[in-house]
C-alpha cells in the first residue's frame, strides 16, 4: 500500500514540477519579449514549488530517505535501533498529525482572502499543508506497521534502494 501511495505522490510531484519548469520558462520568455504581458508566472511558480516540496515529504518517509545524521543511530544494537526508530516515527507522526489538523483551519481561513495576482482564494495554495500532513501520517503508519510485521524491516531502505 505504501508503494502504491508513494507512486501516486511521485507522479503528482513530477507533473507539478513539469508545470513549475514551464511556468518559470514562460516568465523568463515574457520578461524579454516586450509584447507579451504575463504577470502570473512568479506567483504560480511559488505555489507550485511549495506543493512539490511538501508533497515530496511523504516520498522521503516511504523510502526512508529523510535527512538525518545516522552514524550514532547505526552504531546502536539492532533492538535498540528498532525501538528508537519507532519512537522517532511516533514523534514525527504527532508532528504531521498536528500539521494536518492545524492545516485544515489554515485552509478555512484562506477562503477569506485571495492571492495578489491570480486572484484565487489562498485556500487552494494552503491546501497542501493538511494534504502533506495526511500523506506523511499515512506513510509513517504504513512504515511503522512494516517495522512490526516484517522481520528486519525496521529503518531499512526499500528493496529498490538497495539495488541502486
Amino acid at each position: 500500500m505504501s508503494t502504491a501511495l508513494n507512486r501516486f505522490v511521485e507522479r503528482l510531484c513530477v507533473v507539478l514540477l513539469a508545470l513549475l519548469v514551464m511556468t518559470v520558462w514562460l516568465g523568463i520568455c515574457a520578461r524579454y519579449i516586450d509584447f507579451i504581458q504575463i504577470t502570473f508566472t512568479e506567483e504560480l511558480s511559488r505555489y507550485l514549488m511549495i506543493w512539490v516540496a511538501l508533497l515530496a515529504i511523504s516520498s522521503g518517509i516511504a523510502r526512508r530517505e529523510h535527512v538525518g545524521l545516522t552514524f550514532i543511530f547505526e552504531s546502536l544494537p539492532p533492538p535498540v535501533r528498532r525501538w528508537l526508530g519507532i519512537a522517532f516515527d511516533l514523534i514525527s507522526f504527532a508532528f504531521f498529525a498536528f500539521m494536518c489538523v492545524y492545516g485544515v483551519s489554515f485552509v478555512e481561513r484562506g477562503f477569506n482572502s485571495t492571492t495578489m495576482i491570480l486572484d484565487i482564494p489562498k485556500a487552494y495554495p494552503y491546501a497542501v499543508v493538511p494534504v502533506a500532513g495526511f500523506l506523511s501520517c499515512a506513510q509513517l503508519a504504513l512504515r511503522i506497521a512494516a517495522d512490526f510485521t516484517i522481520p528486519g524491516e525496521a529503518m531499512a531502505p526499500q528493496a529498490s534502494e538497495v539495488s541502486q
Side-chain angles (χ1 to χ4, degrees):
M1 226 169 113
S2 175
T3 304
L5 180 60
N6 188 43
R7 191 173 296 132
F8 171 75
V9 171
E10 285 178 343
R11 286 192 169 101
L12 180 59
C13 284
V14 167
V15 169
L16 292 174
L17 190 60
L19 285 171
L20 172 62
V21 169
M22 288 188 292
T23 302
V24 169
W25 272 106
L26 181 62
I28 291 169
C29 292
R31 184 172 294 150
Y32 295 107
I33 301 174
D34 287 335
F35 60 88
I36 298 179
Q37 299 297 319
I38 300 175
T39 59
F40 70 90
T41 57
E42 182 181 339
E43 189 172 75
L44 181 59
S45 62
R46 182 181 317 124
Y47 294 138
L48 287 170
M49 181 182 67
I50 293 168
W51 268 82
V52 170
L54 288 178
L55 288 176
I57 293 170
S58 68
S59 290
I61 291 169
R63 294 174 177 266
R64 293 275 192 217
E65 292 180 345
H66 38 73
V67 176
L69 297 173
T70 59
F71 66 94
I72 294 174
F73 183 79
E74 291 173 353
S75 67
L76 298 171
V80 173
R81 198 175 343 153
R82 178 180 185 162
W83 288 105
L84 189 59
I86 290 170
F88 289 152
D89 285 346
L90 290 173
I91 292 168
S92 298
F93 186 90
F95 170 76
F96 288 117
F98 174 78
M99 188 172 124
C100 182
V101 171
Y102 181 73
V104 170
S105 65
F106 197 58
V107 171
E108 288 172 350
R109 286 192 313 266
F111 280 111
N112 297 327
S113 60
T114 59
T115 60
M116 289 181 66
I117 297 172
L118 294 173
D119 199 34
I120 60 172
K122 287 185 178 179
Y124 299 126
Y126 293 169
V128 72
V129 174
V131 169
F134 175 77
L135 289 171
S136 297
C137 283
Q139 287 293 7
L140 279 165
L142 291 168
R143 292 305 294 193
I144 291 170
D147 290 347
F148 277 112
T149 57
I150 302 171
E153 180 69 14
M155 301 305 290
Q158 288 186 343
S160 63
E161 297 171 38
V162 175
S163 65
Q164 293 178 355

